[in-house]
Amino acid sequence: MGNDEYHLTSYQKVHVVEIDPEAADQDINVDVNVDDVAPQDSRRQWWVSSRGAVVVVILALSMTASVLSYNSSNRRTNVAITNGQGGLSSEDYDHDAVPMMSMSSSSSSSSSSSSSSQAVPVFVEKTNKGMMNPLVASVLPPYMDQLAPDLALTYPSDPLPFSWKSPDELGLYSYYRSPDSSPGQVFGSSFMSDNHDKDEKSKRSKTIPKPTNMWYENLVLGSVNEGHLTENNRAYTIPYIVDFVGAIPGIRVQFPHVVASDTIVQMATIPRHGLTLGTPSSEKQSNVYTVDQEDHAAPPSQLGLNLQWTTNVTNDEATDDNTTSVKRMRTSVLRGIPYITMHYSPGMEAALSAEVPLASPPMIDGNPSNTLTCGTMGIDDKSSNSVSNYTKRVEREVALTFSESDFTWLIFFSRPVEVICLKAPINDHPPPPPPPGVIDFSVTSVFELHVVEPPPPPPHDNNNNNEDDEYPTLQEGQSLMVRAALANNCTRGFNPLYCVGGQARPQTHLGDLLRAHSDIYPANPRIRYEFPPTKFLQDEKQKPTADYSLIHFDWNPRSMKEDTLYENTQLNTLSMRGKGDVSNPPDHYPDRSEELLMYSLPHHVDSMEEVIGSSNSETGYCSGGLHGEACLIRGGEWVMKEELDGPPNFAAPRPPHHSAIPSLAKGIANDISFELPDNYMRGAGDTYFSGKMLAKLGRIILVASELKGLAATPTTDTFDLNDPSQRELKMIVEECRKVELPSDEVMRDAVDRLRRGVEVWLNGTAEAPFLYDAKWGGLVSCGCAYDNGTCTNVLPDCPSFSDPGLNFGNGFFNDHHFHYGYHIYAAAVVANFDLNFGRKYFEPVLAMIRDIANPSTNDPYFPEFRQKDWYLGSSWASGIATLGGQPYLNGRNQESSSESIAAYEAISLYGAVMVHAWGDGVSSDVKENNNAKTATRVRDMGRLLTATEIRSAARYWHVLHGDVNTRPIYPKIYKPSAVGMMWDTMAQFQTWFGSAAYLAYGIQLIPLTSVSERRDSLNWAQQMYPSYAESCESDPNCAVQGWYVPRNTLGFNCG
């Protein structure tokens, strides 16, 4: 029997165990040891897969050892796990029936355990296909393809990095930027480790990479790191905009409205109409949050991040056993949330604040006759008698309607509470209004609702009459969750922004939905990517690549009621809706829905799939916003199917028309000699234009190669001339044979020129070299202080880190996917013609890919998907640069949807080329096969990124008008056929470098590569072309600057 061990991460190991067929009648015990492991979350997982005489065990445990016993006569495996204390629990499983298993904290029988041990129970969890989604096995030996072919192309919720190579191993200098542009105190101590000592086992740095381009980036930039919040520290969660400058510490939620003109669509708010969910103001309570990394909080993801506020508990406030030293509240800022949720630890007082007065008394538990009378702030909240006069018990909700905004908010509580309503005293001498043009950013609380902890419950009587009390031990110091949701923005017809003709809008349907789903909230959602099981090895029976991918948004739904009950009764497990609960408390809300409620965008609905356990059904309620109608969806796990449109290819889906061949040949004869400027060949300059020029030469080489390939077609006699496409192909081949095309020697010279231009950026010899940003975690150009054809600066003098305008802000993580996408494309072209080059520079190119498309939170050097916004489907170009020390009010932005698409196309092409370079997975060298599998994952992730980017561009950048647009995104007043710049809260028809129409159109069309035909629909091209052509013809700069090229290409496509 052979036993080979392969390390996956510091948390996981794979053991491949081959069973001797002659041992069919014997029990074979295999020891499986796991060292230096840590749980990824509260659920410990392991997988067992068996095929024939081979068993694979993949572990991700906080345990120290497990023993596997295999009896090949009856195909049953006895699995026993120890918990580090010598204890042992075991369970038998039939591998044919249950090939995948998962650890959990649910109950199970145990045996062979010592009396002092703590058993670790197990349960079997199946998906709708009857098995767990398996872990990526990119390091398995080659015969694993025959064993478990589905392992090669499946991405789990936390997949492996594309590489483990450290900056040191890649030869990259680690640069520590100055504090003014470094991650600040908002990330907290757990995120700010600068310990760069290497762990001898894992060889991994202790640095934690941080997000730089996420949709919520405004929340971690600017003066928040100096203890001061502004309105610029905000995020568009869809449909809400949230900030943190309300009248009390906490999160202020605002419902925006659409403001549009003929060239701009923007989401605007009236800040004082917002509602703040937080805690009462006090000298001891800071308004400033930190990124939450405690307890069950997850690291920031594409779907959002967790924030917390803490208050140190004094000796007088501490409990008798002094177990609580910090009070805190925490919230999750997530995409698509219909509710704002705040979780309060014991002792942290819950409160709500509004800056406008109530229109009517707060209504309790949906009963119009049960209302609150409000006392006066500063008076009735100080006297114990007054407090008792103005407090009432709330079982589950309070409804608040405000006069000026006309908004009705529903407030939900995870347990019964006592609340007091307070209003501001009448001011007989209000301050004068500010002068014209001066904006008053001060906030004043006009209404507040405080949770007042109830007194201890009455003692049990002798008859145990209150034995069934739902909360028999409620007393001061209980945890609590509070949720707020907007139920109506036109309650009485008084708000002209939302009300039509002064008529009230009941919206009882929305209120009913919010009440029914109020208990289920999303906790630490993650995204998972799944490719259909396909064989890695290429053969005639099965396609080597997937035709589609499935994107999973696992919102991790939980019950706030059950979580609060569990916490307050000190149970050890938390609820997990649909995740294997084994013991739920009685349901005291019979009308409560078990499904999560979230807002989806049009492109989600287009591709949503049904899932067992998650209905993913539409509710019939939608809310207009920047991206069209955001509609409420039921379901805790969204699954969206994305067509991948075939394998990546350097060639377009169809060859050039035969009539274009002579012109192409003439152009190629001139362009094949294109040479980059000398400074770029020395790596002296910016990474954007150097990359564009390299990719340009690469594209010229590819077009020339395609025509030479067509000309070399063996025969045209077999073409079916009755078939128009075959007839056209015959004419294409004949035209290619007639024209003069570059010789093989000329082609080799062009490839060599490209090789040298690409290589200087990869081998560390560039005058402006790449280096590693050790503060944020990323690949950054040192920058070039350019003078007279050379860089006057020498490492470690790197101007990129001090000048956010240099190299388009590359040192501040602007446009990395644009820059590196061009370089990756050029590297893919070279590797296509020179496999040795591809193998030599595999890791340096992977470093670029990891910087912009790392799929794993386990990569210790790069953040997960730096620029991708998986909820929108598109990416963000802007990074950490600020304006006057503050982030831009409108948040992240991106100009060129087409350059983003091209960047991800380049990744897919590079992966495809490198699969071939590493032997297509059939090499006799294990390392080459492992690299081929990595290249497979790079290829397919690039394909998925490209497909989602195209879908999003078609929806939100390419604007259709008239009858061809059956589902409009933007108001009719917006006239252009494209968006020039997309911001978090604004779409505008202009660019950073000008407002001419041909610039805004042209930037959505470059570069022209094989994916362009798929990117630009015929309807959109035909509608956009006249405006583009008119703008270009009226301005000579259009031709001078080259913007006529995409215009002409568009015209050819339109016929």
Side-chain angles (χ1 to χ4, degrees):
M1 177 182 66
N3 190 348
D4 298 320
E5 183 175 293
Y6 299 84
H7 290 268
L8 286 183
T9 74
S10 62
Y11 308 119
Q12 300 161 342
K13 288 187 177 181
V14 172
H15 295 258
V16 181
V17 183
E18 297 186 48
I19 307 299
D20 185 351
E22 296 181 1
D25 297 326
Q26 304 175 24
D27 285 348
I28 299 175
N29 296 314
V30 180
D31 290 335
V32 182
N33 297 313
V34 183
D35 342 11
D36 300 327
V37 294
Q40 291 293 302
D41 51 31
S42 58
R43 303 179 72 237
R44 307 173 182 122
Q45 295 186 327
W46 64 285
W47 293 262
V48 174
S49 178
S50 68
R51 298 290 189 276
V54 182
V55 177
V56 184
V57 183
I58 304 176
L59 304 100
L61 310 173
S62 60
M63 312 304 169
T64 58
S66 67
V67 179
L68 180 150
S69 173
Y70 185 92
N71 186 316
S72 58
S73 60
N74 59 15
R75 295 188 53 74
R76 295 180 73 82
T77 297
N78 182 46
V79 180
I81 307 294
T82 61
N83 64 356
Q85 303 175 2
L88 191 69
S89 67
S90 63
E91 193 73 38
D92 286 340
Y93 297 98
D94 185 336
H95 275 189
D96 285 338
V98 188
M100 298 290 177
M101 291 168 273
S102 173
M103 290 297 299
S104 171
S105 54
S106 59
S107 61
S108 174
S109 61
S110 63
S111 61
S112 306
S113 301
S114 61
S115 58
S116 62
S117 69
Q118 178 183 357
V120 183
V122 296
F123 78 99
V124 175
E125 179 179 20
K126 295 184 180 182
T127 67
N128 58 324
K129 294 182 180 179
M131 58 189 299
M132 289 285 291
N133 289 305
L135 201 67
V136 169
S138 64
V139 297
L140 292 179
Y143 63 80
M144 281 300 297
D145 289 305
Q146 292 118 39
L147 166 70
D150 52 338
L151 290 178
L153 295 176
T154 303
Y155 282 74
S157 56
D158 199 3
L160 296 175
F162 289 144
S163 173
W164 291 108
K165 292 288 185 182
S166 69
D168 288 345
E169 292 171 308
L170 292 167
L172 296 170
Y173 179 88
S174 289
Y175 191 96
Y176 291 80
R177 61 171 66 233
S178 61
D180 61 333
S181 63
S182 291
Q185 65 188 33
V186 69
F187 284 103
S189 59
S190 64
F191 235 112
M192 296 303 297
S193 171
D194 279 330
N195 177 10
H196 288 267
D197 296 334
K198 300 298 178 69
D199 181 282
E200 288 301 319
K201 265 189 173 294
S202 62
K203 301 293 185 185
R204 291 173 61 176
S205 165
K206 302 301 182 184
T207 303
I208 301 174
K210 302 161 189 70
T212 57
N213 301 69
M214 288 292 99
W215 60 272
Y216 50 74
E217 201 71 29
N218 273 30
L219 304 187
V220 299
L221 296 177
S223 59
V224 62
N225 292 297
E226 300 168 1
H228 175 63
L229 288 161
T230 72
E231 287 189 342
N232 293 42
N233 299 120
R234 68 175 192 169
Y236 183 29
T237 64
I238 303 175
Y240 300 127
I241 289 177
V242 299
D243 64 20
F244 305 87
V245 290
I248 62 174
I251 182 171
R252 182 170 68 173
V253 55
Q254 305 172 56
F255 188 78
H257 56 278
V258 177
V259 176
S261 69
D262 58 346
T263 58
I264 294 177
V265 180
Q266 188 167 12
M267 302 305 294
T269 67
I270 300 175
R272 68 178 180 274
H273 289 177
L275 182 73
T276 302
L277 179 56
T279 194
S281 298
S282 71
E283 294 181 358
K284 294 182 292 184
Q285 179 60 55
S286 169
N287 284 44
V288 180
Y289 51 77
T290 59
V291 175
D292 183 9
Q293 288 292 294
E294 305 295 330
D295 294 345
H296 300 280
S301 74
Q302 283 69 41
L303 293 175
L305 80 171
N306 300 294
L307 303 175
Q308 67 172 352
W309 294 256
T310 58
T311 302
N312 291 328
V313 179
T314 64
N315 292 333
D316 294 337
E317 295 173 310
T319 56
D320 292 339
D321 58 7
N322 201 29
T323 57
T324 303
S325 59
V326 174
K327 297 185 296 185
R328 66 180 185 138
M329 61 182 182
R330 61 182 187 269
T331 190
S332 295
V333 180
L334 304 174
R335 285 292 205 191
I337 45 176
Y339 312 82
I340 299 298
T341 305
M342 190 71 80
H343 191 161
Y344 298 86
S345 71
M348 178 67 87
E349 185 178 354
L352 292 100
S353 169
E355 300 157 47
V356 291
L358 290 167
S360 57
M363 182 173 63
I364 298 175
D365 295 327
N367 183 355
S369 62
N370 187 7
T371 60
L372 277 166
T373 300
C374 295
T376 303
M377 293 179 192
I379 300 175
D380 295 321
D381 53 347
K382 304 298 182 182
S383 166
S384 58
N385 290 333
S386 297
V387 169
S388 62
N389 291 335
Y390 291 105
T391 59
K392 274 195 173 184
R393 180 180 173 90
V394 176
E395 295 295 331
R396 60 182 300 185
E397 74 169 66
V398 172
L400 306 172
T401 300
F402 295 95
S403 56
E404 182 181 318
S405 65
D406 208 19
F407 289 176
T408 293
W409 297 86
L410 294 179
I411 315 301
F412 302 99
F413 302 91
S414 62
R415 60 173 172 82
V417 293
E418 297 276 337
V419 299
I420 182 172
C421 171
L422 300 167
K423 60 184 179 181
I426 298 175
N427 189 352
D428 295 328
H429 303 285
V438 176
I439 301 175
D440 183 7
F441 288 106
S442 62
V443 292
T444 303
S445 190
V446 175
F447 159 82
E448 290 185 9
L449 186 76
H450 292 203
V451 172
V452 182
E453 290 293 353
H460 287 251
D461 59 30
N462 294 333
N463 296 323
N464 293 324
N465 288 335
N466 47 10
E467 194 174 68
D468 295 329
D469 194 327
E470 182 181 352
Y471 285 91
T473 60
L474 268 184
Q475 54 187 346
E476 187 174 359
Q478 298 287 310
S479 67
L480 174 69
M481 295 183 73
V482 182
R483 309 190 79 191
L486 182 66
N488 199 332
N489 57 13
C490 180
T491 307
R492 300 175 301 157
F494 294 166
N495 191 332
L497 292 173
Y498 306 102
C499 303
V500 178
Q503 298 296 312
R505 188 186 313 116
Q507 290 194 182
T508 55
H509 175 54
L510 176 58
D512 292 342
L513 280 172
L514 293 171
R515 289 183 172 93
H517 295 267
S518 61
D519 182 53
I520 309 300
Y521 73 100
N524 303 331
R526 304 300 295 178
I527 301 177
R528 181 162 52 86
Y529 323 94
E530 182 181 354
F531 297 89
T534 56
K535 197 172 183 61
F536 177 72
L537 302 178
Q538 300 188 23
D539 59 24
E540 297 179 354
K541 297 180 180 179
Q542 213 166 5
K543 294 182 179 180
T545 57
D547 293 324
Y548 65 90
S549 176
L550 298 177
I551 306 170
H552 297 249
F553 285 9
D554 185 355
W555 295 104
N556 190 16
R558 303 171 76 100
S559 163
M560 71 167 181
K561 177 181 173 62
E562 293 172 14
D563 280 0
T564 302
L565 179 60
Y566 286 172
E567 292 171 15
N568 291 336
T569 54
Q570 297 183 345
L571 294 181
N572 292 325
T573 56
L574 294 176
S575 69
M576 195 171 296
R577 310 305 305 177
K579 295 290 183 181
D581 294 278
V582 293
S583 58
N584 292 328
D587 191 350
H588 293 272
Y589 298 158
D591 59 335
R592 182 181 71 183
S593 172
E594 295 290 321
E595 287 203 285
L596 182 71
L597 198 65
M598 298 293 287
Y599 278 100
S600 65
L601 292 179
H603 73 283
H604 298 142
V605 177
D606 291 344
S607 57
M608 193 81 72
E609 299 282 306
E610 294 183 6
V611 181
I612 293 178
S614 182
S615 67
N616 297 339
S617 58
E618 298 183 56
T619 62
Y621 179 80
C622 299
S623 175
L626 182 63
H627 308 93
E629 295 286 301
C631 300
L632 284 172
I633 294 284
R634 303 180 186 90
E637 181 174 3
W638 295 1
V639 178
M640 289 150 286
K641 183 177 180 181
E642 194 65 61
E643 298 292 342
L644 300 179
D645 289 329
N649 202 313
F650 286 115
R654 53 195 172 99
H657 193 269
H658 74 275
S659 63
I661 300 298
S663 298
L664 276 174
K666 183 178 179 181
I668 289 170
N670 179 65
D671 292 346
I672 197 68
S673 300
F674 172 72
E675 293 189 6
L676 274 74
D678 178 67
N679 64 302
Y680 283 147
M681 294 298 286
R682 302 193 324 269
D686 66 275
T687 52
Y688 179 67
F689 283 114
S690 63
K692 289 185 77 168
M693 290 187 181
L694 289 168
K696 173 183 176 179
L697 178 55
R699 189 70 191 142
I700 293 168
I701 293 170
L702 290 170
V703 174
S705 177
E706 182 179 358
L707 296 189
K708 283 172 68 69
L710 288 167
T713 303
T715 179
T716 59
D717 295 338
T718 58
F719 289 127
D720 181 3
L721 299 183
N722 293 320
D723 183 339
S725 62
Q726 291 278 298
R727 190 165 59 250
E728 169 63 17
L729 183 57
K730 182 177 186 295
M731 289 189 286
I732 290 171
V733 171
E734 291 172 348
E735 286 295 327
C736 287
R737 289 174 177 174
K738 292 178 185 177
V739 298
E740 184 177 351
L741 296 172
S743 66
D744 291 349
E745 181 180 354
V746 170
M747 292 291 291
R748 284 192 294 268
D749 178 70
V751 172
D752 180 65
R753 218 177 315 128
L754 181 61
R755 181 191 300 108
R756 288 184 282 112
V758 171
E759 189 173 34
V760 69
W761 298 97
L762 301 178
N763 63 13
T765 62
E767 290 186 27
F770 284 116
L771 45 78
Y772 181 74
D773 183 332
K775 288 288 190 174
W776 289 95
L779 188 71
V780 173
S781 168
C782 175
C784 180
Y786 194 74
D787 184 45
N788 198 27
T790 188
C791 299
T792 60
N793 60 298
V794 178
L795 188 73
D797 177 13
C798 292
S800 274
F801 292 90
S802 57
D803 184 356
L806 183 67
N807 195 6
F808 300 95
N810 178 275
F812 288 72
F813 295 97
N814 285 358
D815 301 349
H816 273 208
H817 56 330
F818 297 165
H819 295 213
Y820 302 164
Y822 286 119
H823 282 266
I824 295 165
Y825 185 89
V829 175
V830 178
N832 185 56
F833 293 96
D834 183 353
L835 299 183
N836 287 331
F837 172 92
R839 290 189 286 263
K840 179 179 180 180
Y841 291 106
F842 186 51
E843 287 292 347
V845 177
L846 278 185
M848 288 187 180
I849 294 172
R850 290 164 68 189
D851 185 82
I852 63 175
N854 162 43
S856 176
T857 59
N858 280 326
D859 192 322
Y861 306 108
F862 298 93
E864 183 186 19
F865 294 111
R866 184 180 304 282
Q867 264 123 345
K868 187 69 172 181
D869 186 334
W870 283 99
Y871 185 86
L872 285 185
S874 53
S875 296
W876 297 114
S878 57
I880 60 172
T882 57
L883 183 65
Q886 298 299 335
Y888 291 88
L889 181 64
N890 286 311
R892 306 300 90 204
N893 70 76
Q894 176 167 276
E895 261 179 339
S896 180
S897 60
S898 53
E899 285 185 294
S900 186
I901 291 167
Y904 298 130
E905 177 198 22
I907 292 173
S908 70
L909 289 167
Y910 182 76
V913 168
M914 293 311 299
V915 169
H916 180 56
W918 290 117
D920 295 307
V922 294
S923 170
S924 59
D925 186 296
V926 172
K927 183 178 179 181
E928 288 198 359
N929 282 336
N930 292 339
N931 286 335
K933 287 179 181 286
T934 296
T936 301
R937 297 173 56 230
V938 170
R939 176 198 67 193
D940 286 341
M941 183 51 71
R943 297 170 68 208
L944 176 57
L945 288 163
T946 304
T948 53
E949 209 80 12
I950 289 174
R951 180 186 291 274
S952 183
R955 269 291 183 188
Y956 309 118
W957 262 269
H958 301 176
V959 183
L960 292 172
H961 299 284
D963 295 339
V964 296
N965 187 11
T966 57
R967 298 179 64 184
I969 298 297
Y970 302 110
K972 290 182 178 180
I973 192 175
Y974 185 82
K975 301 303 182 183
S977 294
V979 169
M981 291 179 66
M982 183 74 74
W983 297 74
D984 267 317
T985 57
M986 180 172 65
Q988 59 183 157
F989 188 64
Q990 70 173 61
T991 70
W992 283 109
F993 50 94
S995 58
Y998 66 81
L999 296 176
Y1001 286 133
I1003 200 67
Q1004 308 307 325
L1005 295 169
I1006 62 169
L1008 295 168
T1009 64
S1010 60
V1011 81
S1012 302
E1013 185 172 335
R1014 175 178 155 206
R1015 179 192 69 202
D1016 306 329
S1017 73
L1018 183 59
N1019 280 339
W1020 178 64
Q1022 289 174 335
Q1023 190 172 99
M1024 187 251 284
Y1025 178 76
S1027 176
Y1028 188 0
E1030 179 184 1
S1031 173
C1032 192
E1033 290 163 5
S1034 64
D1035 187 343
N1037 286 324
C1038 180
V1040 171
Q1041 297 173 6
W1043 293 106
Y1044 71 95
V1045 175
R1047 183 209 67 175
N1048 291 347
T1049 304
L1050 197 71
F1052 295 146
N1053 289 340
C1054 295

